[in-house]
Amino acid sequence: MSRITFGTSGWRGILCEDFIFDNVKVVTQAIADHITDQGDRDKGIIVAYDSRFMGDRFAKEAARVLTGSGIKTFLCNRDTPTPVVAFEILRRKTAGAINFTASHNPPEYNGLKFSPASGGPALPEATRDIERRANEMLGEFCYKELELDDAQRRGLLEEIDPRPAYLADLEQKVDFAAIARLGVLAVNPLYGTARGYLDTPLTDRNIPIRLINAHRDPYFGGFAPEPAEKNIQDFITLVKGDPAIKLGIATDGDADRFGIVDEDGTYIEPNYVIALLLDYLVRVRGMKGGVARSVATSHLIDAVARKHGVEVYETPVGFKYIGELVTQDKIIIGGEESAGLTIRGHVPEKDGILACFLVAEMVSHEGMSVRALLERLYSQVGRVVTKRENITLSPELEDRFPDKMGASPSEIAGTRVKDVVTIDGNKFLLDDGSWLLFRKSGTEPVVRLYGEAASPERLKEVMVAGKQYILS
């Protein structure tokens, strides 16, 4: 039987292979035992799920195990966005939440994500403890269960609707009056949990929208539910074809990631969105504090930070590290190149819904398209271009890869390596401001290659040199 392994955002697996009811019950029991040993069982726990196949069934099985251990369980009444789950943890002051989601992974996947009382993703010490407990119990009938009707009668199970409280809180963090002046928005919840979250605050204010992919589809239209350019061509076509549309906003399957399409149909890379919002929040809203970005995220953020005298925190990949800085109230905004961000005073978790509305607010307030805002920012802090590629390794190259990472090159693409950052993978900072990052996947024979430079031509040289170094 395969081992339970938690990645950056929980345990994920393929439905009917390793992601099966027995394994889910074992992991849930491990979480119940973890919470009990932490002394938090009396606070209760939220159970939620996204729009994937069988999500509601997995959630109910988890509720049976939790209530079987005497833990009060708050079961969401429909598929729920990950950031809304985080908000509800903080609002109810629970011991945390179990959320059945595989985020942007393909439809055949599901996942179980544990978030502690902080509301953010669990830190490694917590997931290691849960992993250990679960793997010790795998293959055994070791979990306690209670029928849901019985759990309700005992007061151990409560069905909840977290949507009204979250949307009311959003009113305090987004200027919807400004968005109402923008014009027509295209809205794409991508068949996921943002249905009723990304559209309702707009339609309730009679803001005109063009809504697409707003029904539940566990197959996500045949694509991975990630609002990356390659997956949302229907949305881009919609925006291009309607001159009334001023902005396109999209979220992924569990609504923790965002996708932005400019008024002319141009897809805007998340790296640039984070930098633009940092500039907007400091310059227009007057927010003060630092900024956090993962090691794989654009240094355009650093350039904006220098412009405003803002401290930059560089973290390993995984939003839990950024979430910790939000909890500690150290940052204005934190983001990752994979389209996750949050802001001060909000949840310590990625929130694609908030991100979309902040971009709409910014575009309306500034009276400029996203591309025009980006060009203005470039004129002030300098231009950068970023890229990411996945490189598949042969068995021989995979065996040699650790040794290769232990022997750093002195130059890349004809430029001296001035520094190496090793907080997550190997990141080579070059004399001309370019950089490369090599990160080995923990589950596949794949190296993720990230690069950044001042021009497309220079970026191509750097990426080619990086790829040759990996494959040589």
Side-chain angles (χ1 to χ4, degrees), residues 114-311:
F114 172 67
S115 299
S118 68
L123 291 171
E125 53 265 32
T127 56
R128 280 195 295 267
D129 182 58
I130 294 166
E131 275 183 10
R132 177 187 60 78
R133 294 173 186 269
N135 286 310
E136 287 174 356
M137 292 187 287
L138 272 181
E140 300 178 13
F141 187 78
C142 54
Y143 40 81
K144 312 173 189 73
E145 294 181 274
L146 194 61
E147 292 299 327
L148 297 186
D149 289 345
D150 194 13
Q152 282 185 314
R153 282 192 297 271
R154 298 187 191 185
L156 288 172
L157 180 66
E158 180 181 340
E159 190 175 88
I160 63 169
D161 179 6
R163 183 168 164 268
Y166 171 84
L167 291 181
D169 183 74
L170 215 55
E171 302 268 355
Q172 311 305 313
K173 295 168 181 171
V174 175
D175 186 352
F176 284 103
I179 295 175
R181 298 190 295 269
L182 179 59
V184 180
L185 275 78
V187 177
N188 183 8
L190 211 60
Y191 309 102
T193 59
R195 307 176 333 276
Y197 288 88
L198 199 59
D199 51 331
T200 299
L202 303 175
T203 56
D204 281 354
R205 293 170 174 79
N206 296 315
I207 298 170
I209 67 172
R210 304 286 187 266
L211 186 60
I212 188 175
N213 303 330
H215 62 279
R216 179 174 178 263
D217 176 9
Y219 291 102
F220 303 105
F223 297 92
E226 179 182 10
E229 185 173 11
K230 64 181 180 180
N231 297 332
I232 58 170
Q233 287 300 310
D234 58 344
F235 190 53
I236 290 170
T237 299
L238 171 68
V239 176
K240 279 183 177 179
D242 190 339
I245 294 174
K246 297 300 182 183
L247 182 70
I249 55 175
T251 48
D252 72 337
D254 69 324
D256 66 349
R257 300 183 184 213
F258 63 88
I260 301 298
V261 178
D262 205 5
E263 62 181 4
D264 64 353
T266 300
Y267 176 79
I268 308 297
E269 288 289 338
N271 276 303
Y272 310 146
V273 173
I274 298 165
L276 283 169
L277 284 176
L278 170 63
D279 181 64
Y280 175 76
L281 293 174
V282 175
R283 182 172 46 80
V284 177
R285 286 202 181 184
M287 294 178 71
K288 298 185 183 302
V291 59
R293 60 158 178 78
S294 73
V295 68
T297 302
S298 174
H299 287 203
L300 181 60
I301 293 164
D302 302 52
V304 174
R306 284 193 297 272
K307 171 190 170 187
H308 294 296
V310 169
E311 183 177 0

Side-chain angles (χ1 to χ4, degrees), residues 9 85 87 166 211 218 245 265 284 303 371 449:
S9 293
V85 177
F87 176 81
Y166 171 84
L211 186 60
I245 294 174
V284 177
R371 287 182 67 193
L449 174 64

Side-chain angles (χ1 to χ4, degrees), residues 368-400:
M368 301 170 68
S369 69
V370 182
R371 287 182 67 193
L373 288 169
L374 190 57
E375 287 299 324
R376 184 179 72 180
L377 188 64
Y378 284 153
S379 71
Q380 297 168 352
V381 303
R383 183 179 299 272
V384 298
V385 189
T386 63
K387 190 173 183 180
R388 165 184 161 173
E389 290 184 23
N390 286 345
I391 300 172
T392 302
L393 302 178
S394 67
E396 294 77 17
L397 284 174
E398 187 172 22
D399 288 341
R400 296 204 304 268

Side-chain angles (χ1 to χ4, degrees), residues 396-435:
E396 294 77 17
L397 284 174
E398 187 172 22
D399 288 341
R400 296 204 304 268
F401 188 76
D403 293 336
K404 185 167 291 190
M405 288 299 93
S408 300
S410 59
E411 68 171 46
I412 294 175
T415 303
R416 186 179 74 92
V417 175
K418 70 175 183 179
D419 200 5
V420 182
V421 178
T422 57
I423 61 172
D424 192 344
N426 282 28
K427 184 176 183 179
F428 303 101
L429 306 179
L430 310 185
D431 268 344
D432 65 352
S434 306
W435 58 264

